Amino acid sequence: MNTGEPSETLRSVPPAYLDAHWVVGFVDGEGCFFVGINPHPEMSAGYHVLPEFTVVQHQRDVQLLHRLKQFFGCGVVRANHGDRMCYRVRDSEHLRARIMPFFEQHPLRSKKWIDFLKFRKALLMMARGEHLTPEGIQRLRALASTMNTGRER
Amino acid sequence: MNTGEPSETLRSVPPAYLDAHWVVGFVDGEGCFFVGINPHPEMSAGYHVLPEFTVVQHQRDVQLLHRLKQFFGCGVVRANHGDRMCYRVRDSEHLRARIMPFFEQHPLRSKKWIDFLKFRKALLMMARGEHLTPEGIQRLRALASTMNTGRER
C-alpha cells in the first residue's frame, strides 16, 4: 500500500534490552535517592532510618519499571500517586549489594550524582550501625536534610 | 582524617562524556517530541506546522542541556517555566538530519518511542511539502492530536 515509505521500516515496538548506560540516563531523569528519618519509639535511638531508591513513571510505561526490577535483581513495582507507578528498593542489603555498586561503576551525569554520594554515605553509616546511636542519627539527619534540594520528589 | 572511608574514593564530579545509550535513557525520561499546528494567515494552507524536540531540566542541571546540544550538534538552550531550562531543536533540517537518524539508530525504550514514530512521520510529510496543502494539514492535525497522550508536556 505504501511501499518505499521510510516510516514503515521502523519497528513499532522498541527492543526490551536495557543497556547499563540507558539505565543511568533514565535514572538521571526519573530516579530519586532518598533517606527518610522518622521518629520511632521502638528503635534504640528513637528514630527509624529508611533509605530508598525509587523511579516513578506514568503507568503506560510500567513495563519499563518491571525491566528495571529485572535489571537490578531486586525491588518492587508499586502504585504511586494517581496514574503513576513506582519502582522501589528499600531493602538495605539490596541497596548496598546491588544499587550502590552499580552507580559506583556507572556514575550519574546530573546533580543527582551528589544525592547518590550522600545516599551511599548514609548506607555506609548504617552498615556500621551508626543509625542506632543518637549521635549517628544527628549526623544522618544533617546529611538527609541536604538531599533532594532544588527538585521535587 | 577519615582514611580508608570508601566514600572518599568516589569523585564528586561525574564524567562529562555522554554515551549514546545514556542520551536515549535521559530522553526516555525527560524528552518530548511535539508537533504544534497553529493558524497562520500567511501560510498557503492557513496553518503553521512547528515540530520540536525538547528536553526540560531544572536549572541546576543546565550543563547537561548544553552537553546535549553539543552531542546533537544543533539546537538551543533556553529558559523554560520558572526554574526550568530547556534544550530545544526546531529547525526542520536539524530535526531531519540529526535528531531523527539518532533515534532511528537508538530506539527509545518507553512509550515515547510511539511519539517519536509519529514525529518522524510528520517530518517526512513536511519534507514532501504536505504541510502546504489543506489535505496535508488535515492529516498532520490528526497525527499530532494522538501524540503526547497520557503524559503532561
Side-chain angles (χ1 to χ4, degrees), chain B residues 7 10 32 52 93 97 116 119 128-129 136 151:
Chain B
S7 63
L10 292 184
C32 180
E52 64 177 29
E93 279 309 306
F116 169 73
F119 184 78
R128 294 190 295 262
R151 187 182 281 265

Side-chain angles (χ1 to χ4, degrees), chain A residues 111 150, chain B residues 57-63 65 82-85:
Chain A
K111 288 287 190 291
Chain B
Q57 201 62 12
H58 188 276
Q59 63 190 11
R60 76 175 187 164
D61 276 312
V62 68
Q63 93 286 359
L65 301 181
D83 55 8
R84 305 268 149 178
M85 298 293 287

Side-chain angles (χ1 to χ4, degrees), chain B residues 125 130-141:
Chain B
M125 288 173 68
E130 295 188 38
H131 59 303
L132 305 176
T133 69
E135 298 74 23
I137 288 291
Q138 280 300 102
R139 287 184 62 203
L140 281 162
R141 291 181 76 172

Side-chain angles (χ1 to χ4, degrees), chain A residues 7 61 109 111 120 150, chain B residues 7 17 58 61 109 111 120:
Chain A
S7 63
D61 276 312
R109 297 301 200 263
K111 288 287 190 291
R120 178 175 179 273
Chain B
S7 63
Y17 169 73
H58 188 276
D61 276 312
R109 298 302 200 262
K111 289 286 191 291
R120 179 176 178 273

